[in-house]
Amino acid sequence: MNTKTFDTPKYILYTRRYYILLVFSVVSCQQSLIWITFSPISQPTQDYYGIGVGAINLFLAWGCIIYCPCLVFTSWLATKKQGLRYTVFLGAALSAAGAGLRCLTFIKPKHYSSSIIISIAQILNAASGPMVMAPVSKLSATWFGETERTTATGISAMSNSLGSALGFLIGPAFVSKPSQIPNLIIFEAVLSVVVLIWFLIYFPARPPTPPSPSAEDELKASEAENAGSIKQYFIELRQLFFNPHFMVLGLIAGVQAGTFNAWTGMFDQLMQNIESQNFAGWLGFASTLAGIIGGVILGVLGDTLFRRKFKMILLILLLLSAYLVALWTLSFPSFFSKHGFLPRPGYAILIEVTLGGLFLGSTNPIFYELAVEMTFPIAEGSSVGIITAWNNIACVLLLVIPINLKYLNTFVVVILLLCFFVTLFVKESYLRSDSEMKNEAKYNTIQQT
């Protein structure tokens, strides 16, 4: 370790922060992988269990339906001193329990009880959703320095999307006919148990010393007499709801992400009778992977070139996303045309969806970190939790409300354009950065080697 001494307070960045980020990201990834299990293999699932497409959509929708009721508990738990460890452990355990429970459906797959068991399993997995999605900014603030937080948030947030992306590949790779579905379910059950054991081996709630002034302030707050109380949590929640610019930002962030997640989750249905199941799987994988890459890249740029320019970046990304989804829409049957205005060669569709995913995925870490900046010193999990709640509300509405598939693409374009125009009226602020800038001369940050 660097032993150089300073006369001013020093904040150490521990090398183990990268390991913590990796473990958290893997837990989040496998949770999403299990959540999306049946959507990329919709037709084989229907044949194996003797169910309809409505049941497939319900299995996916449970993730969104259960998310919000569990979010309040998750956000409160995260405010405790060991909150990050407790939260992620509970998420990993619930996900493993749900994955294992689905194995019971092999006994009588076409019996109605199998659908009930899958729903219960998906509900358990859904309950773990906020425990691996809401704490992303808390993890970055707890373990990383002020010039690394957006990058860390981008990686941890995008890891959940990586699980969905892998699901689009792993599902069709394991399942080409209905009888192969047990192979996929057993694989995911074993994976979830391995990930849980890995987490239990080593995952401390926080480093030995805080990495930044804001992290130190949060640590002191967590040790206060009323810290972690239900009353204090609802006081902070009330402050968030009475912050109009944050609430608008949170609504935009959640709606655009939830809409896109539900849309990509229905690629298999949108492509039916047009392209193969494998092609639909590759589309979902490509768009989600591009979003992950974009989120990580924008996380790095948000920490360097675009610091304090988050609103401008969000506007550009939302407009580009709307344009690309509009191109996709013009190639398919829609509200305006029964056959589409543009030719639809496979490579063009793949490029449009991939770039759309790239730009939309890039918005996630920027939305999260701007939300934390605008609501400082309120706990990161509370502000990000509201964004992810809107995400899931939008997702479940799109999955549950019957929308003609011919009009779905047009609907997504309209949502993205609305998000762009509403963002114009959001007043950005950087309260956390301003607080740390005031104390810049009072501390030094050193790297552990």
Side-chain angles (χ1 to χ4, degrees):
M1 180 183 293
N2 190 337
T3 57
K4 184 176 179 180
T5 58
F6 297 92
D7 294 329
T8 54
K10 49 187 178 291
Y11 295 93
I12 302 174
L13 301 180
Y14 294 88
T15 305
R16 73 191 78 170
R17 68 191 185 278
Y18 299 115
Y19 173 84
I20 297 299
L21 179 61
L22 174 64
V23 175
F24 178 89
S25 298
V26 171
V27 172
S28 180
C29 178
Q30 62 87 28
Q31 185 274 336
S32 183
L33 173 66
I34 294 168
W35 168 66
I36 206 168
T37 298
F38 302 107
S39 293
I41 51 169
S42 175
Q43 194 57 55
T45 302
Q46 292 176 57
D47 295 339
Y48 183 74
Y49 288 110
I51 55 179
V53 69
I56 302 296
N57 288 340
L58 178 61
F59 296 158
L60 194 68
W62 280 125
C64 313
I65 296 169
I66 300 301
Y67 188 96
C68 292
C70 294
L71 177 63
V72 174
F73 170 75
T74 299
S75 299
W76 165 73
L77 183 62
T79 62
K80 295 187 171 294
K81 189 173 180 180
Q82 296 291 318
L84 184 62
R85 177 176 170 81
Y86 295 157
T87 302
V88 182
F89 163 71
L90 193 54
L94 286 170
S95 184
L101 183 62
R102 296 189 305 188
C103 295
L104 296 178
T105 62
F106 306 157
I107 301 170
K108 291 183 178 179
K110 284 188 166 60
H111 194 266
Y112 74 91
S113 61
S114 291
S115 294
I116 296 174
I117 291 172
I118 292 176
S119 286
I120 294 172
Q122 293 297 101
I123 288 171
L124 290 174
N125 177 266
S128 71
M131 299 168 192
V132 297
M133 293 174 67
V136 291
S137 287
K138 179 176 180 61
L139 181 139
S140 60
T142 301
W143 282 91
F144 290 83
E146 62 271 21
T147 59
E148 303 174 321
R149 287 188 296 236
T150 309
T151 303
T153 297
I155 293 172
S156 56
M158 291 299 99
S159 62
N160 199 256
S161 297
L162 178 60
S164 299
L166 292 175
F168 284 109
L169 287 185
I170 292 174
F174 268 85
V175 180
S176 59
K177 53 186 179 180
S179 60
Q180 295 174 328
I181 283 182
N183 299 336
L184 175 61
I185 292 179
I186 290 171
F187 166 77
E188 292 182 347
V190 172
L191 175 66
S192 65
V193 172
V194 170
V195 171
L196 175 60
I197 293 171
W198 185 21
F199 170 85
L200 290 172
I201 291 173
Y202 182 73
F203 192 94
R206 59 179 67 250
T209 57
S212 68
S214 59
E216 184 175 30
D217 291 342
E218 184 182 348
L219 177 61
K220 291 176 181 177
S222 70
E223 294 172 340
E225 186 176 344
N226 64 340
S229 68
I230 293 291
K231 181 180 178 181
Q232 181 62 27
Y233 169 71
F234 278 103
I235 288 174
E236 291 187 351
L237 204 60
R238 182 177 180 277
Q239 292 173 339
L240 290 175
F241 279 111
F242 280 89
N243 183 334
H245 289 285
F246 162 73
M247 289 304 295
V248 172
L249 181 81
L251 178 62
I252 297 164
V255 166
Q256 61 87 25
T259 300
F260 186 75
N261 290 341
W263 180 59
T264 54
M266 290 189 280
F267 276 168
D268 188 41
Q269 298 170 44
L270 288 167
M271 293 285 103
Q272 237 172 21
N273 303 321
I274 298 175
E275 297 285 353
S276 67
Q277 176 182 284
N278 280 338
F279 183 77
W282 276 105
L283 275 183
F285 174 77
S287 63
T288 309
L289 181 62
I292 294 164
I293 294 171
V296 173
I297 292 174
L298 257 293
V300 175
L301 295 177
D303 278 328
T304 52
L305 296 178
F306 300 129
R307 293 191 75 183
R308 305 178 73 92
K309 298 177 182 176
F310 288 170
K311 178 179 173 179
M312 177 190 72
I313 295 302
L314 289 173
L315 288 170
I316 294 171
L317 293 172
L318 287 170
L319 194 58
L320 288 172
S321 302
Y323 170 72
L324 287 159
V325 178
L327 284 181
W328 156 288
T329 301
L330 292 174
S331 299
F332 287 88
S334 66
F335 180 79
F336 305 102
S337 170
K338 291 182 179 180
H339 305 289
F341 292 104
L342 300 176
R344 51 171 184 261
Y347 72 87
I349 293 172
L350 185 62
I351 291 172
E352 290 160 6
V353 172
T354 300
L355 290 178
L358 175 73
F359 295 133
L360 270 182
S362 300
T363 64
N364 288 333
I366 305 300
F367 271 124
Y368 290 168
E369 286 300 297
L370 181 55
V372 171
E373 290 282 353
M374 291 172 64
T375 58
F376 182 82
I378 293 174
E380 298 89 352
S382 299
S383 54
V384 174
I386 288 178
I387 291 178
T388 56
W390 282 120
N391 179 332
N392 283 271
I393 290 171
C395 186
V396 74
L397 288 176
L398 199 58
L399 289 171
V400 172
I401 296 176
I403 299 177
N404 191 313
L405 291 178
K406 288 197 302 185
Y407 307 143
L408 181 60
N409 296 324
T410 306
F411 178 78
V412 174
V413 175
V414 171
I415 290 294
L416 293 176
L417 287 175
L418 284 174
C419 288
F420 168 80
F421 286 113
V422 175
T423 303
L424 290 170
F425 299 97
V426 173
K427 183 180 179 181
E428 61 184 334
S429 57
Y430 297 89
L431 302 179
R432 182 175 63 178
S433 295
D434 290 343
S435 174
E436 290 180 333
M437 285 176 65
K438 290 178 183 177
N439 296 296
E440 266 187 353
K442 300 179 182 179
Y443 70 87
N444 287 286
T445 301
I446 62 175
Q447 291 269 358
Q448 185 191 51
T449 57

